[in-house]
Amino acid sequence: MTNVIELYVKEKYSKQYINGYPLIVKDAVRNLDVLHQEGVIIHLLDKNHQFLAKGYYGIQNKGIGWILTNKLNEDINFSFFKKKLLSAINKRKGFYQSDDTNAFRVFNGEGDGIGGVTIDYYAGYYLINWYSEGIYAFKEHIVRVIDELGDYHGIYEKKRFDRKGNYIDDDDFVKGNRGEFPIIVKENGMHYAVYLNDGAMVGVFLDQRDVRVAIRDKYAKNKQVLNTFSYTGAFSIAAALGGAAKTTSVDLAKRSKGKTIEQFSVNGIDFEQQDIIVMDVFDYFKYARRKQLSFDMVILDPPSFARSKKRTFSTAKDYPDLIKDTISITNQHGIIVASTNNASLGMKKFKGFIDKACSEMNTSYRILEEFQLPADFQTDKRFPQGNYLKVLIIQLG
């Protein structure tokens, strides 16, 4: 066996790797100095030189690599990747066969057994997200598996492994036929315009599928809906298609307006009947209070961390204030859809934020529904941070 690096695990971490914890963290390793080239295969050994697990070296924001197997004799080769990918694809057969949804996650990193890579499907196109140079070293195997499956239009990729964990701007096309963008995908009968060739974001976050359909089918009818941090307006589309009286979408990014207009248009909705505002969300709250605007439903899906010229927003620190601002412009018995994708924040702590904000505003509330990742975003119970999405649908008293 060539090019295998042996890493010695500190005693207090040995048990978690025996038990299948998938992330290799810097603090667990005694001899980090032997690591040079990302993509090499790593053997984790305990203090007695006993084999614990096998993985690869790849630096991403979470750690320095991922475990691939606890079997010493399992080779990390094309057959290994094929087995993992086919197993994941078989679990998503229902999505492939669906008539009203053709955009979903095919492979969800460590949840499907290979951390550091995700694969999404958009109406016949595959999009691979690589989160480290280490996993990118195995690109040939992963593309070949998709190739052998066949029956696709084209393959695109996003490299998300520059030094700051940001997207590396590139052509993004891998093979097959180039798409004519936007591609119009279907999700529970709703339509979204996506661009696989235009920066890190494609236009819709697939992990919110269950929340969007709940907004459309259960909560939006006849309501005045405010969608904050609205990006391309995907929640606004769901609300409008669910019979909302009107939607208001607010986002600081200038390009959000054109993108939101496009999303309304591909669904046959007159965007001129909706409000689409380019503005800092916190400034909009002040504006709404000044103008005495109020809403029956407010959707909050902020980034975990955001910086504008005026302020820095961090979920862990600022979410209770965001809820308080929201309560101040929400009608009695109104609904708040509170969401976070902060992996380091557990559901219990998130519920604590809601409780704190409501009690400081002297408002009673009840949780109508809660959501985490949808079925295609497979997670590993041994790695709870992987189930990063938390969404609470709250009704104020």
Side-chain angles (χ1 to χ4, degrees), residues 97 119 158 179 181 188 204 206 239 290 353:
Q97 291 160 358
I119 306 172
K158 305 286 178 193
F181 296 105
N188 293 311
V204 66
L206 298 180
R290 206 168 58 242
F353 286 171

PDB file of all heavy atoms in Angstrom, residues 97 119 158 179 181 188 204 206 239 290 353:
ATOM      1  N   GLN A  97     -37.907   9.521  -9.391  1.00  0.00           N
ATOM      2  CA  GLN A  97     -39.153   9.115 -10.055  1.00  0.00           C
ATOM      3  C   GLN A  97     -40.288  10.119  -9.885  1.00  0.00           C
ATOM      4  O   GLN A  97     -41.368   9.942 -10.442  1.00  0.00           O
ATOM      5  CB  GLN A  97     -39.588   7.750  -9.502  1.00  0.00           C
ATOM      6  CG  GLN A  97     -38.646   6.621  -9.918  1.00  0.00           C
ATOM      7  CD  GLN A  97     -38.753   5.382  -9.032  1.00  0.00           C
ATOM      8  OE1 GLN A  97     -39.509   5.355  -8.066  1.00  0.00           O
ATOM      9  NE2 GLN A  97     -37.976   4.356  -9.359  1.00  0.00           N
ATOM     10  N   ILE A 119     -23.369  16.229  -3.703  1.00  0.00           N
ATOM     11  CA  ILE A 119     -23.795  16.199  -5.110  1.00  0.00           C
ATOM     12  C   ILE A 119     -25.294  16.486  -5.154  1.00  0.00           C
ATOM     13  O   ILE A 119     -26.080  15.834  -4.463  1.00  0.00           O
ATOM     14  CB  ILE A 119     -23.509  14.834  -5.774  1.00  0.00           C
ATOM     15  CG1 ILE A 119     -22.030  14.442  -5.606  1.00  0.00           C
ATOM     16  CG2 ILE A 119     -23.888  14.876  -7.259  1.00  0.00           C
ATOM     17  CD1 ILE A 119     -21.709  13.015  -6.061  1.00  0.00           C
ATOM     18  N   LYS A 158     -18.527  23.054  -8.008  1.00  0.00           N
ATOM     19  CA  LYS A 158     -18.140  24.263  -7.266  1.00  0.00           C
ATOM     20  C   LYS A 158     -16.979  23.878  -6.360  1.00  0.00           C
ATOM     21  O   LYS A 158     -17.096  22.936  -5.572  1.00  0.00           O
ATOM     22  CB  LYS A 158     -19.283  24.800  -6.383  1.00  0.00           C
ATOM     23  CG  LYS A 158     -20.581  25.067  -7.108  1.00  0.00           C
ATOM     24  CD  LYS A 158     -20.529  26.307  -7.955  1.00  0.00           C
ATOM     25  CE  LYS A 158     -21.847  26.497  -8.713  1.00  0.00           C
ATOM     26  NZ  LYS A 158     -21.735  27.512  -9.760  1.00  0.00           N
ATOM     27  N   GLY A 179     -25.321  23.625 -19.929  1.00  0.00           N
ATOM     28  CA  GLY A 179     -26.724  24.002 -19.768  1.00  0.00           C
ATOM     29  C   GLY A 179     -27.004  25.352 -20.398  1.00  0.00           C
ATOM     30  O   GLY A 179     -26.108  26.177 -20.559  1.00  0.00           O
ATOM     31  N   PHE A 181     -28.775  28.471 -19.369  1.00  0.00           N
ATOM     32  CA  PHE A 181     -29.258  28.963 -18.078  1.00  0.00           C
ATOM     33  C   PHE A 181     -30.138  30.195 -18.239  1.00  0.00           C
ATOM     34  O   PHE A 181     -29.913  30.990 -19.136  1.00  0.00           O
ATOM     35  CB  PHE A 181     -28.064  29.250 -17.166  1.00  0.00           C
ATOM     36  CG  PHE A 181     -27.281  27.999 -16.852  1.00  0.00           C
ATOM     37  CD1 PHE A 181     -26.060  27.749 -17.453  1.00  0.00           C
ATOM     38  CD2 PHE A 181     -27.808  27.048 -15.991  1.00  0.00           C
ATOM     39  CE1 PHE A 181     -25.362  26.588 -17.188  1.00  0.00           C
ATOM     40  CE2 PHE A 181     -27.117  25.879 -15.711  1.00  0.00           C
ATOM     41  CZ  PHE A 181     -25.890  25.644 -16.306  1.00  0.00           C
ATOM     42  N   ASN A 188     -41.979  20.339  -5.703  1.00  0.00           N
ATOM     43  CA  ASN A 188     -43.382  20.230  -5.255  1.00  0.00           C
ATOM     44  C   ASN A 188     -44.306  21.078  -6.142  1.00  0.00           C
ATOM     45  O   ASN A 188     -45.216  21.743  -5.655  1.00  0.00           O
ATOM     46  CB  ASN A 188     -43.507  20.665  -3.791  1.00  0.00           C
ATOM     47  CG  ASN A 188     -42.804  19.703  -2.853  1.00  0.00           C
ATOM     48  OD1 ASN A 188     -43.001  18.495  -2.937  1.00  0.00           O
ATOM     49  ND2 ASN A 188     -41.960  20.216  -1.983  1.00  0.00           N
ATOM     50  N   VAL A 204     -31.377  28.686  -5.414  1.00  0.00           N
ATOM     51  CA  VAL A 204     -32.372  28.140  -4.470  1.00  0.00           C
ATOM     52  C   VAL A 204     -31.641  27.188  -3.520  1.00  0.00           C
ATOM     53  O   VAL A 204     -30.722  26.471  -3.925  1.00  0.00           O
ATOM     54  CB  VAL A 204     -33.522  27.417  -5.228  1.00  0.00           C
ATOM     55  CG1 VAL A 204     -33.048  26.181  -5.959  1.00  0.00           C
ATOM     56  CG2 VAL A 204     -34.676  27.082  -4.291  1.00  0.00           C
ATOM     57  N   LEU A 206     -31.809  23.961  -1.548  1.00  0.00           N
ATOM     58  CA  LEU A 206     -32.624  22.745  -1.569  1.00  0.00           C
ATOM     59  C   LEU A 206     -33.002  22.252  -0.174  1.00  0.00           C
ATOM     60  O   LEU A 206     -33.991  21.544  -0.015  1.00  0.00           O
ATOM     61  CB  LEU A 206     -31.863  21.630  -2.305  1.00  0.00           C
ATOM     62  CG  LEU A 206     -31.530  21.893  -3.781  1.00  0.00           C
ATOM     63  CD1 LEU A 206     -30.784  20.696  -4.361  1.00  0.00           C
ATOM     64  CD2 LEU A 206     -32.791  22.179  -4.592  1.00  0.00           C
ATOM     65  N   ALA A 239     -45.094  31.458  -0.747  1.00  0.00           N
ATOM     66  CA  ALA A 239     -46.200  32.178  -0.090  1.00  0.00           C
ATOM     67  C   ALA A 239     -47.211  32.679  -1.123  1.00  0.00           C
ATOM     68  O   ALA A 239     -48.431  32.535  -0.940  1.00  0.00           O
ATOM     69  CB  ALA A 239     -45.647  33.344   0.725  1.00  0.00           C
ATOM     70  N   ARG A 290     -41.588  52.834  11.710  1.00  0.00           N
ATOM     71  CA  ARG A 290     -41.855  54.270  11.506  1.00  0.00           C
ATOM     72  C   ARG A 290     -43.129  54.462  10.686  1.00  0.00           C
ATOM     73  O   ARG A 290     -43.932  55.349  10.944  1.00  0.00           O
ATOM     74  CB  ARG A 290     -40.645  54.900  10.808  1.00  0.00           C
ATOM     75  CG  ARG A 290     -40.466  56.379  11.055  1.00  0.00           C
ATOM     76  CD  ARG A 290     -39.121  56.911  10.599  1.00  0.00           C
ATOM     77  NE  ARG A 290     -38.846  56.704   9.199  1.00  0.00           N
ATOM     78  CZ  ARG A 290     -37.838  55.979   8.725  1.00  0.00           C
ATOM     79  NH1 ARG A 290     -37.001  55.368   9.553  1.00  0.00           N
ATOM     80  NH2 ARG A 290     -37.651  55.841   7.430  1.00  0.00           N
ATOM     81  N   PHE A 353     -33.405  30.899  22.263  1.00  0.00           N
ATOM     82  CA  PHE A 353     -33.379  32.251  21.672  1.00  0.00           C
ATOM     83  C   PHE A 353     -34.802  32.786  21.480  1.00  0.00           C
ATOM     84  O   PHE A 353     -35.091  33.949  21.760  1.00  0.00           O
ATOM     85  CB  PHE A 353     -32.675  32.241  20.309  1.00  0.00           C
ATOM     86  CG  PHE A 353     -31.185  32.106  20.367  1.00  0.00           C
ATOM     87  CD1 PHE A 353     -30.456  31.907  19.194  1.00  0.00           C
ATOM     88  CD2 PHE A 353     -30.489  32.195  21.564  1.00  0.00           C
ATOM     89  CE1 PHE A 353     -29.078  31.801  19.222  1.00  0.00           C
ATOM     90  CE2 PHE A 353     -29.105  32.087  21.602  1.00  0.00           C
ATOM     91  CZ  PHE A 353     -28.393  31.885  20.428  1.00  0.00           C
TER      92      PHE A 353
END
